[in-house]
Amino acid sequence: MAARVLVAGGLLVLLVAVAAAVLVNRDGPVQEHRPPVQEDRLAVTERRLDDRRMELTIDSAALGATTRVRLLLPKGWSREAGRTWPVLWLLHGGFDGYTSWTSRTDVDRLTEDTGVIVVMPDGGRCGSYSDWWNGGNGGPPRWATYHLKELLPLLEARYRASGRRAVAGYSMGGQGAMLYAAEGYFQAAASFSGAVHILAPGVPQAVMAGTTFGCLGTDWKRVWGDPDDQRAVWRAHNPYHQAERLRGVRLVVASGTAELWEDPAEHLAGKAGRAFAARLDELGIAVQTHFYRGRHDHAYWQRELHRAYPTLMRAIGAR
């Protein structure tokens, strides 16, 4: 089972594997969000891997460390171009990394003829796309600050990225996609088997176990604190409780409906996805959903990206 956890790469896989005893929109106008520019503070080294792939190594103040991001550049892209390109961010799941989308899906081929810059940043093995609580003291790692206040302005300042952006992610990355969209930086967001309700029954205990055993040496309370004592912090990072802030964003939610005995991780993801979609419906926020028989695996996330791709591209005016 441990091997399967690492292969799947989704946060919920390990959460369930190590804590089995716990188991118990509307379309809006395209708006370009311009964040405060901090890109001039970044030391960046770039390496061109092939005609489309570029890898950036970034010395991030928000993380207090060096990190990497992989780009897929559209045909005709040039740093000196007199135009910009819309952007698709793809976020990975827990225990995966920034190369997982290109190494385990056909995203290269899918995006080849679309005029879009694909951005695949590192999000940390247990980063949770969050600025960590760290006992109330804050400080590194600040994953959300790095992505939204350092990397995003960098792409616009130096790599011809526009303010028209879509974001998608699987498992932990599905949570990140919805949290970042709730901050107003993306016109469209998609979650595949996402951790979109981290306060659902049993999930906080699974988060504790997953962080402890999946990222050895990491105190799970550093991320969001205790789910009871720091309830407000957990709610602030729970897409279910931030759903109202997604009004006006084009949304896609997909997950499998596996039984508990078939795939515990996807079983939890499916329940979270349906609860999140129901919450959006209660709020009168349109969402495109797909709940299917499937597992917590890249083969399904690739398929769901294909299904969501036209919706995401329309929302940002890419073709």
Side-chain angles (χ1 to χ4, degrees), residues 73-121:
L73 301 171
K75 292 178 179 178
W77 178 89
S78 168
R79 197 188 314 274
E80 292 76 32
R83 57 159 295 184
T84 59
W85 282 264
V87 184
L88 171 64
W89 286 53
L90 294 178
L91 308 182
H92 65 79
F95 320 121
D96 262 351
Y98 72 101
T99 64
S100 62
W101 276 104
T102 52
S103 65
R104 308 196 59 189
T105 77
D106 67 349
V107 66
D108 301 59
R109 185 165 62 252
L110 173 64
T111 62
E112 183 177 11
D113 295 321
T114 309
V116 62
I117 298 173
V118 183
V119 180
M120 294 160 286

mmCIF file of all heavy atoms in Angstrom, residues 73-121:
data_model
loop_
_atom_site.group_PDB
_atom_site.id
_atom_site.type_symbol
_atom_site.label_atom_id
_atom_site.label_comp_id
_atom_site.label_asym_id
_atom_site.label_seq_id
_atom_site.Cartn_x
_atom_site.Cartn_y
_atom_site.Cartn_z
ATOM 1 N N LEU A 73 5.811 26.435 -22.971
ATOM 2 C CA LEU A 73 5.617 27.679 -23.712
ATOM 3 C C LEU A 73 4.859 27.426 -25.011
ATOM 4 O O LEU A 73 5.060 26.402 -25.663
ATOM 5 C CB LEU A 73 6.983 28.306 -24.010
ATOM 6 C CG LEU A 73 7.812 28.627 -22.765
ATOM 7 C CD1 LEU A 73 9.224 29.030 -23.153
ATOM 8 C CD2 LEU A 73 7.149 29.718 -21.933
ATOM 9 N N PRO A 74 3.987 28.343 -25.399
ATOM 10 C CA PRO A 74 3.206 28.158 -26.634
ATOM 11 C C PRO A 74 4.048 28.413 -27.874
ATOM 12 O O PRO A 74 5.114 29.055 -27.821
ATOM 13 C CB PRO A 74 2.102 29.211 -26.500
ATOM 14 C CG PRO A 74 2.725 30.289 -25.681
ATOM 15 C CD PRO A 74 3.643 29.602 -24.698
ATOM 16 N N LYS A 75 3.561 27.921 -28.981
ATOM 17 C CA LYS A 75 4.238 28.170 -30.257
ATOM 18 C C LYS A 75 4.308 29.670 -30.505
ATOM 19 O O LYS A 75 3.341 30.401 -30.271
ATOM 20 C CB LYS A 75 3.477 27.491 -31.396
ATOM 21 C CG LYS A 75 3.516 25.970 -31.340
ATOM 22 C CD LYS A 75 2.710 25.360 -32.470
ATOM 23 C CE LYS A 75 2.755 23.839 -32.439
ATOM 24 N NZ LYS A 75 1.924 23.229 -33.506
ATOM 25 N N GLY A 76 5.440 30.135 -30.976
ATOM 26 C CA GLY A 76 5.606 31.550 -31.260
ATOM 27 C C GLY A 76 5.987 32.388 -30.065
ATOM 28 O O GLY A 76 6.173 33.610 -30.198
ATOM 29 N N TRP A 77 6.138 31.749 -28.899
ATOM 30 C CA TRP A 77 6.476 32.525 -27.706
ATOM 31 C C TRP A 77 7.877 33.123 -27.837
ATOM 32 O O TRP A 77 8.805 32.491 -28.342
ATOM 33 C CB TRP A 77 6.437 31.639 -26.465
ATOM 34 C CG TRP A 77 6.817 32.381 -25.205
ATOM 35 C CD1 TRP A 77 5.987 33.052 -24.377
ATOM 36 C CD2 TRP A 77 8.141 32.519 -24.650
ATOM 37 N NE1 TRP A 77 6.695 33.612 -23.337
ATOM 38 C CE2 TRP A 77 8.025 33.296 -23.479
ATOM 39 C CE3 TRP A 77 9.404 32.068 -25.030
ATOM 40 C CZ2 TRP A 77 9.114 33.630 -22.688
ATOM 41 C CZ3 TRP A 77 10.501 32.398 -24.238
ATOM 42 C CH2 TRP A 77 10.354 33.160 -23.085
ATOM 43 N N SER A 78 8.003 34.343 -27.379
ATOM 44 C CA SER A 78 9.291 35.007 -27.335
ATOM 45 C C SER A 78 9.268 36.022 -26.204
ATOM 46 O O SER A 78 8.247 36.688 -25.978
ATOM 47 C CB SER A 78 9.589 35.722 -28.658
ATOM 48 O OG SER A 78 10.701 36.581 -28.529
ATOM 49 N N ARG A 79 10.362 36.133 -25.519
ATOM 50 C CA ARG A 79 10.461 37.107 -24.444
ATOM 51 C C ARG A 79 10.307 38.537 -24.967
ATOM 52 O O ARG A 79 9.860 39.428 -24.260
ATOM 53 C CB ARG A 79 11.815 36.949 -23.754
ATOM 54 C CG ARG A 79 11.911 37.595 -22.389
ATOM 55 C CD ARG A 79 13.337 37.563 -21.879
ATOM 56 N NE ARG A 79 13.946 36.261 -22.052
ATOM 57 C CZ ARG A 79 13.816 35.267 -21.173
ATOM 58 N NH1 ARG A 79 13.079 35.441 -20.093
ATOM 59 N NH2 ARG A 79 14.407 34.110 -21.381
ATOM 60 N N GLU A 80 10.659 38.719 -26.238
ATOM 61 C CA GLU A 80 10.579 40.062 -26.842
ATOM 62 C C GLU A 80 9.280 40.281 -27.609
ATOM 63 O O GLU A 80 9.132 41.298 -28.308
ATOM 64 C CB GLU A 80 11.760 40.274 -27.801
ATOM 65 C CG GLU A 80 13.122 40.358 -27.112
ATOM 66 C CD GLU A 80 13.640 38.999 -26.654
ATOM 67 O OE1 GLU A 80 13.337 37.993 -27.339
ATOM 68 O OE2 GLU A 80 14.316 38.935 -25.617
ATOM 69 N N ALA A 81 8.344 39.358 -27.529
ATOM 70 C CA ALA A 81 7.094 39.477 -28.285
ATOM 71 C C ALA A 81 6.328 40.728 -27.868
ATOM 72 O O ALA A 81 6.384 41.169 -26.719
ATOM 73 C CB ALA A 81 6.238 38.242 -28.074
ATOM 74 N N GLY A 82 5.591 41.248 -28.824
ATOM 75 C CA GLY A 82 4.784 42.426 -28.542
ATOM 76 C C GLY A 82 3.412 42.077 -28.029
ATOM 77 O O GLY A 82 2.496 42.902 -28.111
ATOM 78 N N ARG A 83 3.256 40.896 -27.504
ATOM 79 C CA ARG A 83 1.971 40.449 -26.989
ATOM 80 C C ARG A 83 2.197 39.602 -25.732
ATOM 81 O O ARG A 83 3.337 39.275 -25.380
ATOM 82 C CB ARG A 83 1.245 39.580 -28.023
ATOM 83 C CG ARG A 83 2.041 38.364 -28.490
ATOM 84 C CD ARG A 83 1.161 37.272 -29.079
ATOM 85 N NE ARG A 83 0.263 36.713 -28.075
ATOM 86 C CZ ARG A 83 -0.546 35.688 -28.320
ATOM 87 N NH1 ARG A 83 -0.568 35.122 -29.514
ATOM 88 N NH2 ARG A 83 -1.339 35.220 -27.372
ATOM 89 N N THR A 84 1.107 39.275 -25.053
ATOM 90 C CA THR A 84 1.164 38.371 -23.913
ATOM 91 C C THR A 84 0.287 37.162 -24.194
ATOM 92 O O THR A 84 -0.511 37.160 -25.148
ATOM 93 C CB THR A 84 0.687 39.060 -22.625
ATOM 94 O OG1 THR A 84 -0.671 39.526 -22.814
ATOM 95 C CG2 THR A 84 1.589 40.223 -22.259
ATOM 96 N N TRP A 85 0.408 36.121 -23.358
ATOM 97 C CA TRP A 85 -0.369 34.901 -23.529
ATOM 98 C C TRP A 85 -1.133 34.578 -22.245
ATOM 99 O O TRP A 85 -0.625 34.789 -21.133
ATOM 100 C CB TRP A 85 0.560 33.720 -23.842
ATOM 101 C CG TRP A 85 1.050 33.663 -25.254
ATOM 102 C CD1 TRP A 85 0.523 32.937 -26.279
ATOM 103 C CD2 TRP A 85 2.186 34.348 -25.805
ATOM 104 N NE1 TRP A 85 1.254 33.136 -27.436
ATOM 105 C CE2 TRP A 85 2.288 33.994 -27.171
ATOM 106 C CE3 TRP A 85 3.133 35.231 -25.282
ATOM 107 C CZ2 TRP A 85 3.277 34.480 -28.004
ATOM 108 C CZ3 TRP A 85 4.133 35.738 -26.105
ATOM 109 C CH2 TRP A 85 4.197 35.367 -27.456
ATOM 110 N N PRO A 86 -2.360 34.061 -22.376
ATOM 111 C CA PRO A 86 -3.079 33.592 -21.185
ATOM 112 C C PRO A 86 -2.345 32.410 -20.557
ATOM 113 O O PRO A 86 -1.492 31.787 -21.185
ATOM 114 C CB PRO A 86 -4.453 33.182 -21.730
ATOM 115 C CG PRO A 86 -4.231 32.946 -23.189
ATOM 116 C CD PRO A 86 -3.137 33.868 -23.609
ATOM 117 N N VAL A 87 -2.694 32.116 -19.311
ATOM 118 C CA VAL A 87 -1.901 31.193 -18.515
ATOM 119 C C VAL A 87 -2.778 30.110 -17.892
ATOM 120 O O VAL A 87 -3.870 30.395 -17.387
ATOM 121 C CB VAL A 87 -1.161 31.946 -17.388
ATOM 122 C CG1 VAL A 87 -0.251 31.006 -16.607
ATOM 123 C CG2 VAL A 87 -0.353 33.106 -17.956
ATOM 124 N N LEU A 88 -2.281 28.870 -17.913
ATOM 125 C CA LEU A 88 -2.899 27.752 -17.208
ATOM 126 C C LEU A 88 -1.918 27.247 -16.163
ATOM 127 O O LEU A 88 -0.828 26.780 -16.495
ATOM 128 C CB LEU A 88 -3.249 26.618 -18.180
ATOM 129 C CG LEU A 88 -3.707 25.298 -17.527
ATOM 130 C CD1 LEU A 88 -5.018 25.492 -16.758
ATOM 131 C CD2 LEU A 88 -3.835 24.194 -18.567
ATOM 132 N N TRP A 89 -2.301 27.352 -14.896
ATOM 133 C CA TRP A 89 -1.508 26.788 -13.810
ATOM 134 C C TRP A 89 -1.993 25.374 -13.534
ATOM 135 O O TRP A 89 -3.215 25.140 -13.435
ATOM 136 C CB TRP A 89 -1.662 27.618 -12.546
ATOM 137 C CG TRP A 89 -0.957 28.937 -12.536
ATOM 138 C CD1 TRP A 89 -1.042 29.944 -13.457
ATOM 139 C CD2 TRP A 89 -0.074 29.409 -11.513
ATOM 140 N NE1 TRP A 89 -0.269 31.009 -13.093
ATOM 141 C CE2 TRP A 89 0.338 30.714 -11.896
ATOM 142 C CE3 TRP A 89 0.403 28.875 -10.320
ATOM 143 C CZ2 TRP A 89 1.207 31.472 -11.112
ATOM 144 C CZ3 TRP A 89 1.272 29.627 -9.544
ATOM 145 C CH2 TRP A 89 1.664 30.908 -9.937
ATOM 146 N N LEU A 90 -1.063 24.439 -13.378
ATOM 147 C CA LEU A 90 -1.391 23.067 -13.006
ATOM 148 C C LEU A 90 -0.667 22.738 -11.704
ATOM 149 O O LEU A 90 0.568 22.776 -11.639
ATOM 150 C CB LEU A 90 -0.980 22.089 -14.110
ATOM 151 C CG LEU A 90 -1.735 22.219 -15.438
ATOM 152 C CD1 LEU A 90 -1.201 21.221 -16.456
ATOM 153 C CD2 LEU A 90 -3.234 22.019 -15.235
ATOM 154 N N LEU A 91 -1.442 22.413 -10.666
ATOM 155 C CA LEU A 91 -0.897 22.167 -9.335
ATOM 156 C C LEU A 91 -0.883 20.667 -9.046
ATOM 157 O O LEU A 91 -1.854 19.959 -9.317
ATOM 158 C CB LEU A 91 -1.740 22.889 -8.289
ATOM 159 C CG LEU A 91 -1.976 24.390 -8.535
ATOM 160 C CD1 LEU A 91 -2.789 24.982 -7.384
ATOM 161 C CD2 LEU A 91 -0.664 25.142 -8.718
ATOM 162 N N HIS A 92 0.208 20.197 -8.459
ATOM 163 C CA HIS A 92 0.341 18.768 -8.169
ATOM 164 C C HIS A 92 -0.225 18.427 -6.798
ATOM 165 O O HIS A 92 -0.509 19.294 -5.969
ATOM 166 C CB HIS A 92 1.817 18.356 -8.264
ATOM 167 C CG HIS A 92 2.696 18.997 -7.223
ATOM 168 N ND1 HIS A 92 2.763 18.554 -5.917
ATOM 169 C CD2 HIS A 92 3.569 20.038 -7.294
ATOM 170 C CE1 HIS A 92 3.625 19.282 -5.235
ATOM 171 N NE2 HIS A 92 4.123 20.203 -6.051
ATOM 172 N N GLY A 93 -0.364 17.129 -6.545
ATOM 173 C CA GLY A 93 -0.858 16.640 -5.269
ATOM 174 C C GLY A 93 0.253 16.419 -4.262
ATOM 175 O O GLY A 93 1.435 16.642 -4.535
ATOM 176 N N GLY A 94 -0.143 15.978 -3.069
ATOM 177 C CA GLY A 94 0.818 15.725 -2.011
ATOM 178 C C GLY A 94 1.792 14.625 -2.377
ATOM 179 O O GLY A 94 1.428 13.658 -3.056
ATOM 180 N N PHE A 95 3.048 14.787 -1.942
ATOM 181 C CA PHE A 95 4.116 13.816 -2.168
ATOM 182 C C PHE A 95 4.516 13.706 -3.631
ATOM 183 O O PHE A 95 5.287 12.839 -4.000
ATOM 184 C CB PHE A 95 3.750 12.432 -1.600
ATOM 185 C CG PHE A 95 3.049 12.530 -0.270
ATOM 186 C CD1 PHE A 95 1.787 12.008 -0.093
ATOM 187 C CD2 PHE A 95 3.644 13.199 0.786
ATOM 188 C CE1 PHE A 95 1.134 12.125 1.120
ATOM 189 C CE2 PHE A 95 2.999 13.325 2.001
ATOM 190 C CZ PHE A 95 1.743 12.789 2.172
ATOM 191 N N ASP A 96 4.000 14.571 -4.467
ATOM 192 C CA ASP A 96 4.431 14.697 -5.859
ATOM 193 C C ASP A 96 5.259 15.969 -5.989
ATOM 194 O O ASP A 96 5.535 16.643 -4.991
ATOM 195 C CB ASP A 96 3.224 14.754 -6.796
ATOM 196 C CG ASP A 96 2.924 13.397 -7.426
ATOM 197 O OD1 ASP A 96 3.739 12.474 -7.261
ATOM 198 O OD2 ASP A 96 1.883 13.266 -8.088
ATOM 199 N N GLY A 97 5.610 16.318 -7.236
ATOM 200 C CA GLY A 97 6.411 17.505 -7.444
ATOM 201 C C GLY A 97 6.049 18.220 -8.730
ATOM 202 O O GLY A 97 5.102 17.842 -9.435
ATOM 203 N N TYR A 98 6.819 19.212 -9.058
ATOM 204 C CA TYR A 98 6.496 20.091 -10.182
ATOM 205 C C TYR A 98 6.613 19.407 -11.542
ATOM 206 O O TYR A 98 6.104 19.910 -12.539
ATOM 207 C CB TYR A 98 7.382 21.342 -10.140
ATOM 208 C CG TYR A 98 8.830 21.093 -10.499
ATOM 209 C CD1 TYR A 98 9.311 21.402 -11.766
ATOM 210 C CD2 TYR A 98 9.716 20.528 -9.580
ATOM 211 C CE1 TYR A 98 10.640 21.172 -12.111
ATOM 212 C CE2 TYR A 98 11.036 20.299 -9.903
ATOM 213 C CZ TYR A 98 11.487 20.621 -11.171
ATOM 214 O OH TYR A 98 12.798 20.375 -11.505
ATOM 215 N N THR A 99 7.264 18.251 -11.615
ATOM 216 C CA THR A 99 7.389 17.543 -12.897
ATOM 217 C C THR A 99 6.290 16.513 -13.119
ATOM 218 O O THR A 99 6.246 15.884 -14.173
ATOM 219 C CB THR A 99 8.749 16.826 -12.988
ATOM 220 O OG1 THR A 99 8.811 15.806 -11.975
ATOM 221 C CG2 THR A 99 9.903 17.798 -12.813
ATOM 222 N N SER A 100 5.409 16.331 -12.144
ATOM 223 C CA SER A 100 4.455 15.214 -12.234
ATOM 224 C C SER A 100 3.472 15.356 -13.396
ATOM 225 O O SER A 100 3.116 14.365 -14.036
ATOM 226 C CB SER A 100 3.682 15.056 -10.925
ATOM 227 O OG SER A 100 2.930 16.213 -10.643
ATOM 228 N N TRP A 101 3.032 16.586 -13.692
ATOM 229 C CA TRP A 101 2.068 16.755 -14.783
ATOM 230 C C TRP A 101 2.694 16.377 -16.130
ATOM 231 O O TRP A 101 2.057 15.733 -16.965
ATOM 232 C CB TRP A 101 1.548 18.186 -14.837
ATOM 233 C CG TRP A 101 0.409 18.462 -13.897
ATOM 234 C CD1 TRP A 101 0.449 19.145 -12.720
ATOM 235 C CD2 TRP A 101 -0.955 18.054 -14.058
ATOM 236 N NE1 TRP A 101 -0.801 19.183 -12.140
ATOM 237 C CE2 TRP A 101 -1.686 18.531 -12.943
ATOM 238 C CE3 TRP A 101 -1.638 17.336 -15.046
ATOM 239 C CZ2 TRP A 101 -3.056 18.311 -12.783
ATOM 240 C CZ3 TRP A 101 -3.007 17.124 -14.894
ATOM 241 C CH2 TRP A 101 -3.691 17.599 -13.776
ATOM 242 N N THR A 102 3.935 16.770 -16.356
ATOM 243 C CA THR A 102 4.559 16.462 -17.646
ATOM 244 C C THR A 102 5.062 15.027 -17.707
ATOM 245 O O THR A 102 5.142 14.444 -18.788
ATOM 246 C CB THR A 102 5.724 17.422 -17.949
ATOM 247 O OG1 THR A 102 6.630 17.453 -16.848
ATOM 248 C CG2 THR A 102 5.209 18.815 -18.235
ATOM 249 N N SER A 103 5.418 14.442 -16.578
ATOM 250 C CA SER A 103 5.954 13.082 -16.600
ATOM 251 C C SER A 103 4.871 12.018 -16.572
ATOM 252 O O SER A 103 5.104 10.891 -17.023
ATOM 253 C CB SER A 103 6.914 12.868 -15.421
ATOM 254 O OG SER A 103 6.227 12.949 -14.182
ATOM 255 N N ARG A 104 3.672 12.367 -16.098
ATOM 256 C CA ARG A 104 2.664 11.330 -15.900
ATOM 257 C C ARG A 104 1.343 11.592 -16.607
ATOM 258 O O ARG A 104 0.378 10.854 -16.423
ATOM 259 C CB ARG A 104 2.433 11.134 -14.400
ATOM 260 C CG ARG A 104 3.761 10.900 -13.662
ATOM 261 C CD ARG A 104 3.575 10.337 -12.310
ATOM 262 N NE ARG A 104 2.870 9.062 -12.349
ATOM 263 C CZ ARG A 104 2.426 8.430 -11.269
ATOM 264 N NH1 ARG A 104 2.615 8.979 -10.084
ATOM 265 N NH2 ARG A 104 1.800 7.294 -11.360
ATOM 266 N N THR A 105 1.278 12.681 -17.384
ATOM 267 C CA THR A 105 0.099 12.930 -18.212
ATOM 268 C C THR A 105 0.557 13.420 -19.578
ATOM 269 O O THR A 105 1.742 13.668 -19.795
ATOM 270 C CB THR A 105 -0.841 13.996 -17.586
ATOM 271 O OG1 THR A 105 -0.286 15.301 -17.792
ATOM 272 C CG2 THR A 105 -1.056 13.750 -16.101
ATOM 273 N N ASP A 106 -0.400 13.603 -20.475
ATOM 274 C CA ASP A 106 -0.084 14.064 -21.835
ATOM 275 C C ASP A 106 -0.315 15.561 -21.993
ATOM 276 O O ASP A 106 -0.692 16.029 -23.060
ATOM 277 C CB ASP A 106 -0.906 13.286 -22.859
ATOM 278 C CG ASP A 106 -2.400 13.598 -22.766
ATOM 279 O OD1 ASP A 106 -2.828 14.251 -21.777
ATOM 280 O OD2 ASP A 106 -3.150 13.188 -23.671
ATOM 281 N N VAL A 107 -0.058 16.320 -20.927
ATOM 282 C CA VAL A 107 -0.332 17.753 -20.968
ATOM 283 C C VAL A 107 0.461 18.455 -22.071
ATOM 284 O O VAL A 107 -0.021 19.440 -22.651
ATOM 285 C CB VAL A 107 -0.063 18.392 -19.591
ATOM 286 C CG1 VAL A 107 1.408 18.326 -19.227
ATOM 287 C CG2 VAL A 107 -0.555 19.841 -19.557
ATOM 288 N N ASP A 108 1.641 17.942 -22.411
ATOM 289 C CA ASP A 108 2.406 18.533 -23.523
ATOM 290 C C ASP A 108 1.592 18.515 -24.811
ATOM 291 O O ASP A 108 1.475 19.520 -25.512
ATOM 292 C CB ASP A 108 3.706 17.759 -23.749
ATOM 293 C CG ASP A 108 4.611 17.738 -22.537
ATOM 294 O OD1 ASP A 108 4.175 17.242 -21.476
ATOM 295 O OD2 ASP A 108 5.749 18.208 -22.655
ATOM 296 N N ARG A 109 1.052 17.351 -25.116
ATOM 297 C CA ARG A 109 0.290 17.198 -26.356
ATOM 298 C C ARG A 109 -1.040 17.936 -26.289
ATOM 299 O O ARG A 109 -1.467 18.554 -27.263
ATOM 300 C CB ARG A 109 0.060 15.709 -26.641
ATOM 301 C CG ARG A 109 -0.616 15.432 -27.984
ATOM 302 C CD ARG A 109 -0.493 13.976 -28.393
ATOM 303 N NE ARG A 109 -1.141 13.063 -27.457
ATOM 304 C CZ ARG A 109 -0.479 12.246 -26.631
ATOM 305 N NH1 ARG A 109 0.844 12.254 -26.603
ATOM 306 N NH2 ARG A 109 -1.122 11.434 -25.817
ATOM 307 N N LEU A 110 -1.691 17.880 -25.133
ATOM 308 C CA LEU A 110 -2.986 18.536 -24.981
ATOM 309 C C LEU A 110 -2.887 20.031 -25.260
ATOM 310 O O LEU A 110 -3.770 20.615 -25.889
ATOM 311 C CB LEU A 110 -3.517 18.310 -23.557
ATOM 312 C CG LEU A 110 -4.795 19.062 -23.167
ATOM 313 C CD1 LEU A 110 -5.974 18.605 -24.027
ATOM 314 C CD2 LEU A 110 -5.085 18.869 -21.675
ATOM 315 N N THR A 111 -1.817 20.661 -24.809
ATOM 316 C CA THR A 111 -1.699 22.116 -24.907
ATOM 317 C C THR A 111 -0.894 22.582 -26.109
ATOM 318 O O THR A 111 -0.721 23.792 -26.298
ATOM 319 C CB THR A 111 -1.026 22.667 -23.629
ATOM 320 O OG1 THR A 111 0.303 22.119 -23.507
ATOM 321 C CG2 THR A 111 -1.837 22.301 -22.396
ATOM 322 N N GLU A 112 -0.414 21.653 -26.922
ATOM 323 C CA GLU A 112 0.524 21.977 -27.995
ATOM 324 C C GLU A 112 0.012 23.033 -28.960
ATOM 325 O O GLU A 112 0.756 23.918 -29.390
ATOM 326 C CB GLU A 112 0.884 20.704 -28.761
ATOM 327 C CG GLU A 112 1.914 20.906 -29.846
ATOM 328 C CD GLU A 112 2.301 19.606 -30.525
ATOM 329 O OE1 GLU A 112 1.621 18.583 -30.287
ATOM 330 O OE2 GLU A 112 3.280 19.613 -31.298
ATOM 331 N N ASP A 113 -1.258 22.955 -29.320
ATOM 332 C CA ASP A 113 -1.798 23.876 -30.319
ATOM 333 C C ASP A 113 -2.662 24.972 -29.714
ATOM 334 O O ASP A 113 -3.411 25.642 -30.421
ATOM 335 C CB ASP A 113 -2.605 23.083 -31.358
ATOM 336 C CG ASP A 113 -1.725 22.140 -32.167
ATOM 337 O OD1 ASP A 113 -0.593 22.535 -32.500
ATOM 338 O OD2 ASP A 113 -2.158 21.000 -32.438
ATOM 339 N N THR A 114 -2.572 25.133 -28.397
ATOM 340 C CA THR A 114 -3.308 26.192 -27.720
ATOM 341 C C THR A 114 -2.341 27.296 -27.338
ATOM 342 O O THR A 114 -1.256 27.039 -26.831
ATOM 343 C CB THR A 114 -3.987 25.652 -26.436
ATOM 344 O OG1 THR A 114 -4.738 24.491 -26.741
ATOM 345 C CG2 THR A 114 -4.903 26.708 -25.832
ATOM 346 N N GLY A 115 -2.722 28.516 -27.587
ATOM 347 C CA GLY A 115 -1.858 29.650 -27.255
ATOM 348 C C GLY A 115 -1.917 29.981 -25.789
ATOM 349 O O GLY A 115 -2.494 31.001 -25.388
ATOM 350 N N VAL A 116 -1.328 29.128 -24.967
ATOM 351 C CA VAL A 116 -1.389 29.312 -23.524
ATOM 352 C C VAL A 116 -0.042 28.919 -22.919
ATOM 353 O O VAL A 116 0.608 27.970 -23.364
ATOM 354 C CB VAL A 116 -2.533 28.477 -22.901
ATOM 355 C CG1 VAL A 116 -2.315 26.991 -23.121
ATOM 356 C CG2 VAL A 116 -2.720 28.778 -21.417
ATOM 357 N N ILE A 117 0.388 29.670 -21.912
ATOM 358 C CA ILE A 117 1.570 29.313 -21.133
ATOM 359 C C ILE A 117 1.117 28.408 -19.994
ATOM 360 O O ILE A 117 0.231 28.775 -19.217
ATOM 361 C CB ILE A 117 2.263 30.561 -20.560
ATOM 362 C CG1 ILE A 117 2.746 31.483 -21.688
ATOM 363 C CG2 ILE A 117 3.434 30.165 -19.659
ATOM 364 C CD1 ILE A 117 3.281 32.816 -21.185
ATOM 365 N N VAL A 118 1.710 27.227 -19.890
ATOM 366 C CA VAL A 118 1.372 26.297 -18.821
ATOM 367 C C VAL A 118 2.428 26.417 -17.725
ATOM 368 O O VAL A 118 3.629 26.308 -17.985
ATOM 369 C CB VAL A 118 1.303 24.844 -19.332
ATOM 370 C CG1 VAL A 118 0.868 23.911 -18.206
ATOM 371 C CG2 VAL A 118 0.343 24.742 -20.519
ATOM 372 N N VAL A 119 1.962 26.645 -16.506
ATOM 373 C CA VAL A 119 2.843 26.874 -15.360
ATOM 374 C C VAL A 119 2.654 25.744 -14.352
ATOM 375 O O VAL A 119 1.544 25.524 -13.875
ATOM 376 C CB VAL A 119 2.529 28.228 -14.685
ATOM 377 C CG1 VAL A 119 3.445 28.466 -13.485
ATOM 378 C CG2 VAL A 119 2.634 29.362 -15.692
ATOM 379 N N MET A 120 3.740 25.035 -14.045
ATOM 380 C CA MET A 120 3.669 23.909 -13.111
ATOM 381 C C MET A 120 4.680 24.122 -11.993
ATOM 382 O O MET A 120 5.838 23.726 -12.096
ATOM 383 C CB MET A 120 3.932 22.605 -13.866
ATOM 384 C CG MET A 120 2.834 22.278 -14.870
ATOM 385 S SD MET A 120 3.337 21.108 -16.156
ATOM 386 C CE MET A 120 4.393 22.164 -17.165
ATOM 387 N N PRO A 121 4.257 24.788 -10.913
ATOM 388 C CA PRO A 121 5.190 25.109 -9.825
ATOM 389 C C PRO A 121 5.296 23.973 -8.813
ATOM 390 O O PRO A 121 4.395 23.138 -8.679
ATOM 391 C CB PRO A 121 4.519 26.326 -9.177
ATOM 392 C CG PRO A 121 3.054 26.060 -9.353
ATOM 393 C CD PRO A 121 2.925 25.354 -10.690
#
